[in-house]
Amino acid sequence: MIMDCNLIALNNADDLLPYGTYKSGVKDGDKAYVIYAYPSTNYPIVNIPYILKDFEDNVLPPGHYQVVLNPSRKFLYLVESNEIKASIPVAKLVEKMVSEEEEREKLEKAQKIKKKYKNNPRRRPRDNSAREIQADMSASIRDSHENYYILEYKNGNIQATGYIIK
């Protein structure tokens, strides 16, 4: 009979506790956070050892941040836990154009491999294009020993530089 009383008490825990209880699991409002987040594999990560402040005395603590180039290519975002923590204006942008000949050579190479291993797909070498893309990303921050930091970003054929005032 004691066990039955405990079950009743646990079922009515909301009435007994001074604070409310919450159901576990992901709520519908939290799902959009994951859907619209930045993919972590497409952006380089920078380790910032400095304490960064803006004109309104907002502080960005040292840590690891993803560096994301805005689609309009006017700002570099520092993203932590899929939240934009800082935006830095782009001072210099270099975009290298890829020639049609290079693209054609890549496609021909892929088609040759596909054709060669058509009858035996298990022997076909693995596609390392995702690894090559990740190897071509970099981000760094350095002190100019003046009154600003230099944030450099490189992702594929795009290079951007932003300046952060101390």
Side-chain angles (χ1 to χ4, degrees):
M1 203 58 148
I2 294 173
M3 292 182 84
D4 293 336
C5 294
N6 287 338
L7 289 175
I8 293 170
L10 289 175
N11 288 336
N12 296 327
D14 289 338
D15 299 333
L16 300 175
L17 298 174
Y19 49 86
T21 58
Y22 300 99
K23 294 181 180 179
S24 63
V26 179
K27 299 176 185 170
D28 290 335
D30 296 338
K31 291 179 185 175
Y33 177 79
V34 176
I35 293 171
Y36 298 109
Y38 289 109
S40 61
T41 59
N42 294 341
Y43 301 103
I45 296 175
V46 64
N47 180 15
I48 299 180
Y50 313 110
I51 297 174
L52 304 177
K53 291 185 179 181
D54 64 357
F55 295 117
E56 298 174 356
D57 288 332
N58 295 325
V59 176
L60 186 69
H64 298 280
Y65 298 92
Q66 288 179 342
V67 182
V68 178
L69 183 64
N70 186 357
S72 68
R73 300 189 177 166
K74 293 182 180 180
F75 291 98
L76 287 169
Y77 294 141
L78 295 178
V79 179
E80 182 183 45
S81 300
N82 295 327
E83 291 182 16
I84 298 173
K85 298 294 184 176
S87 64
I88 298 124
V90 172
K92 180 182 174 185
L93 181 71
V94 177
E95 187 170 357
K96 296 178 183 174
M97 299 302 291
V98 179
S99 68
E100 292 179 20
E101 186 177 316
E102 290 177 6
E103 288 293 322
R104 195 176 311 117
E105 287 176 4
K106 286 181 184 179
L107 288 173
E108 287 175 1
K109 183 179 175 183
Q111 288 174 353
K112 283 181 184 178
I113 290 174
K114 186 176 180 180
K115 187 177 179 181
K116 182 177 178 180
Y117 295 102
K118 182 179 179 181
N119 295 333
N120 196 353
R122 289 184 181 178
R123 294 189 145 229
R124 181 174 46 206
R126 292 186 179 182
D127 184 21
N128 288 330
S129 61
R131 289 184 181 180
E132 291 172 2
I133 290 170
Q134 284 183 344
D136 200 22
M137 294 187 307
S138 67
S140 64
I141 188 168
R142 60 186 164 93
D143 192 354
S144 68
H145 299 294
E146 293 181 16
N147 60 347
Y148 57 89
Y149 299 107
I150 302 169
L151 179 66
E152 295 175 345
Y153 166 87
K154 181 180 184 284
N155 193 349
N157 59 347
I158 300 173
Q159 295 178 351
T161 304
Y163 298 101
I164 304 168
I165 298 175
K166 290 183 183 179

